[in-house]
Amino acid sequence: MLTSIGLEYNAHHNPNDHYQEAFNLTFEAFDNTNYTETIENSTYGIEELVNKQVALLYFRSAAHAQVAKFDKGFQDAKTIIQLAPTQALGYLRVGELLSMYGNQNRAIQVYEKGLAMVGDHKELLEQRSEEASLQQQQCVDIIARAPFEILSSIMSHFESNELVNLCTVSKTWQQRLLDIPECWSTVRMTDGLSHRFMSVRHHIVNLELNGMRANMCDELLVQIMQGGFNKLRKLCINDSVLPDSDVFYCTLSQVSNTLKELMIYVDGQSPIHYKSVLSSCPQLEKFSYIHRGLIPPQTSFGSLNSNKQSLLTSLDLDNPAFFEEADIEETLQFCSKLRSLSVTNNHRRISDLICRYCSELDTLWLGVPRRLHTFDSYQQGTKSKGLRNLSLGVSSADPVLPLINKNCDSIEAIHLFLPNGFCQLNSFASISTMTHLRTLNVVRFAADAGVAVGHILQKTPALERLSLAWCDLESAAAFTSIEQLDHLKQLEFIVVTQVCDQGIRALFRSFAAKSSLQSIKLQGCYFVDNDFLQYLPSIQSLQHIQIASATRITQAGLNEFCSRMQQHLAIRSIAFGDMAIVTDATLNTLSTVQSLRRLEVAGLSNCSPRSQLFNGKLDVVVMTHFYGPDHRLASYEPPTTYYDDDEDFFIFGSSDEDSIETR
C-alpha cells in the first residue's frame, strides 16, 4: 500500500533524472556570463533535487512506521511538508501515520489541510480522507466506551507515570482517566514529571518524590503549599534534595490536617527540625526520618509543643545525632502513644526512657537500623499488652537486659545482633524466662556465641523458630539448650563454621525421636558433610529442607540422601542452592518421593532449566542465580515465616512469593 502511494505520486512527475543536466547547463551558462539562463537552470535543478529528497523522506518515514519508530516517521513526514508545502506527499504521509496510530480524526484534519494547500493530486487526498472516515466509524474506543467499574479495574494496574502518558493520547482518554480517583491515589514523581500531575492533585492520597533535584522539589512543594492536595495522607521524600526549610515547613502546614504518614530519606543535606515537624503536623501517625549525612554536634532540631500530646504511633529516627539525652527524652515524652519505635543509638539511658514513657510500645528496633529487618510477618494486636517484637544491636548487654526483663511476659520475637567486640557472653544468664517468645534470631560476627545463646535458650520454653547466623558455636551449651526445646518447628543455621561436632550431631539425632521440627535450613555450614546429611531423612516430621553452599557433600553422599528420602512420608519441599553436584538425576530420584510437592534448585548446578522430568507432578524451579552467604554478609536479613492458608504449612525464607524463584 505504501509503495503504491509513492508510485501514484511519482507518476505525476517526470521519472527521468534531469538534475545532473540542469546542473551542467547552470555551470555552462554561468561560465558564459549568461546570468538569466543560470537562474532558470539552477531553479529547475533545485526543484528536481527537492523532489528527490521528498521521495526519499517519504519512503524512510514509511519504513520507520513499519518498525514502530513513529516519532522518527513523523519527523520525516513533517520535513516533507516543510520542503514541499504545496505537494501532496507530505500530507499523505502524516495522515497515513496518524491512521496507523489510531487517530483517524486528526488524520482527516491533515488531509483537509492538504486539500487546501496543494494544487493538484487532490483526488488521492480525498480518497485517503474517505478511508480514514470509514475507519473512524468502524473503530471502537475501549477507553471511551468501557463501563466505569471495568475501566477503573484495568487502570489500577498502571503506574502513575504510565497513566500520565495515556492521558496524552486524546482529550477523551484524558477526561475519562482523570475521572477515576482510584488511579491517582498513589503517585510517584520524578524529575520532569511533577507538573503533569497537578490536574489530579485533588485525588492524590499517597505522594512519593523520588530522586528529585532541589529546584524541582522546591517547585513541587510550592505547588502543594498553594493548595489543592485535599486528600494527601502520606508523603515520602526519597533521595531528593529538600528545598529551603521555610518552604518545607510551610508545605507541611498546608497539609497538616490530612497528613498521616511522613517519610524522609536524605543523604548529606542540612538536617530538618524534626521536632518542629512533629509539632506542626498534629494528625501525623507515622514519621520516619533517615539522615545518612554527618550532623554536627549541638545541632538544633526545633521544639515541641509541650501543651499537646502527639498522635504518633510509629517513629523511626536513624542518625546518632538525633539522640542527645535531652532531645530523645523530650521526643519520647511528647510521643507517648508510640506502638513502634526505631532508634539507632543504644545506651542505658535510652532504654530507661523507653521504659518510662513508651508504655504502649509493641515493636522496638534498638541500636540496629530498621531496614535490616521488619516484623511484617507478625500482626500487631488491636490493644497493646506490652512489648512484643524486639530487634537489638548490642555492644553491651547492660542497656537491654532491664528492657527484656520488664517485658518478659509479652515478648514474642527477638532479633539479636551481637557485633565484634561483644564479650559479655555470660551476662544473659540473668535474663528472665520469656514464656511467650516464639521467634529468636541471633547474628554474631565474632568469637564463640554458644554460651550467650545457651543462656537465652534456657529461658525460652515455648520457642518455635530459631535462626543462628555467623555464630561460632564451639561450646556444647547451645546445642544442649536447643535439644530441650520441645516446641521447635523451624531451625536455621547460616554460615556456622566453628561448632562443637559432638554437640551438633547429638542434637540432630535427638530430632529423630521428636515430632515437632518441620523446617530446616543449612546454608554455608562447614559441618554439613555426607554423614551429617543422612540425619535429615531420619527426622520424619520434616516438611521443608533447604541446603545451600554445602561444599563437603559429595555426589555419593547426595545420592544416598535422595535414596533415603524416598521413604519419607511428610516432606513437602526440598531446595538446593549453589551445589554443582545437583543434577537432573538427583531431581529424578527425588521425584519418586510420594509426599514431595516442590523442588527448587538455585545457583550452581548441573540441572536443566525448568526440568521437564516430572510431567507436572511436581513444581520444579531451576534458577541460575542464588543469593548465598557471600552475598548476604554485607546486609543480613533474618528469616521470616509465611504461611500457606490452603496447605497449612510454613516455608522458611524470604517473605517474597516463591522465595528462590522470585529472588
Side-chain angles (χ1 to χ4, degrees), residues 15 52 58 68 76 113 238 306 310 323 386 443 469:
K52 293 178 67 174
Y58 176 88
D76 283 346
K113 182 178 179 180
N238 184 31
S306 58
S310 172
F323 304 106
V443 183

Side-chain angles (χ1 to χ4, degrees), residues 108-122:
I108 294 172
Q109 294 177 5
V110 171
Y111 290 137
E112 291 177 350
K113 182 178 179 180
L115 288 170
M117 294 293 294
V118 302
D120 51 2
H121 317 303
K122 291 187 177 183

Side-chain angles (χ1 to χ4, degrees), residues 163-233:
L163 290 171
V164 168
N165 291 332
L166 290 178
C167 287
T168 63
V169 173
S170 68
K171 291 183 178 180
T172 302
W173 283 34
Q174 183 182 36
Q175 182 178 355
R176 291 227 65 191
L177 295 179
L178 292 182
D179 288 338
I180 306 177
E182 293 79 9
C183 290
W184 309 101
S185 61
T186 298
V187 169
R188 298 175 178 87
M189 294 189 184
T190 57
D191 271 358
L193 282 178
S194 60
H195 64 282
R196 293 187 174 186
F197 292 101
M198 291 305 104
S199 57
V200 295
R201 60 186 181 273
H202 56 288
H203 292 319
I204 297 177
V205 178
N206 305 320
L207 178 60
E208 297 181 16
L209 312 183
N210 298 315
M212 299 189 74
R213 293 168 295 177
N215 60 330
M216 297 298 298
C217 192
D218 182 79
E219 177 184 338
L220 177 59
L221 292 180
V222 168
Q223 291 172 336
I224 296 176
M225 185 169 56
Q226 292 173 351
F229 288 79
N230 302 323
K231 296 182 180 180
L232 189 62
R233 291 176 55 87

Side-chain angles (χ1 to χ4, degrees), residues 459-479:
K459 305 299 178 65
T460 58
L463 195 68
E464 297 179 355
R465 295 172 286 273
L466 174 63
S467 172
L468 302 175
W470 292 277
C471 295
D472 291 341
L473 304 174
E474 298 178 1
S475 170
F479 302 114

Side-chain angles (χ1 to χ4, degrees), residues 371-372 417-420 443-446 468-472 493-497 523-525 549 626-638 663:
R371 66 184 183 278
L372 289 183
F417 296 78
L418 306 177
N420 253 330
V443 183
R444 165 72 168 169
F445 293 92
L468 302 175
W470 292 277
C471 295
D472 291 341
F493 291 102
I494 296 179
V495 197
V496 177
T497 55
Q523 179 175 320
C525 298
S549 303
F626 172 63
Y627 290 81
D630 293 340
H631 298 278
R632 298 177 67 181
L633 282 172
S635 177
Y636 170 65
E637 297 181 3
R663 287 182 290 173

Side-chain angles (χ1 to χ4, degrees), residues 368 416 460 466 475 491 621:
V368 56
L416 191 60
T460 58
L466 174 63
S475 170
L491 181 60
V621 181

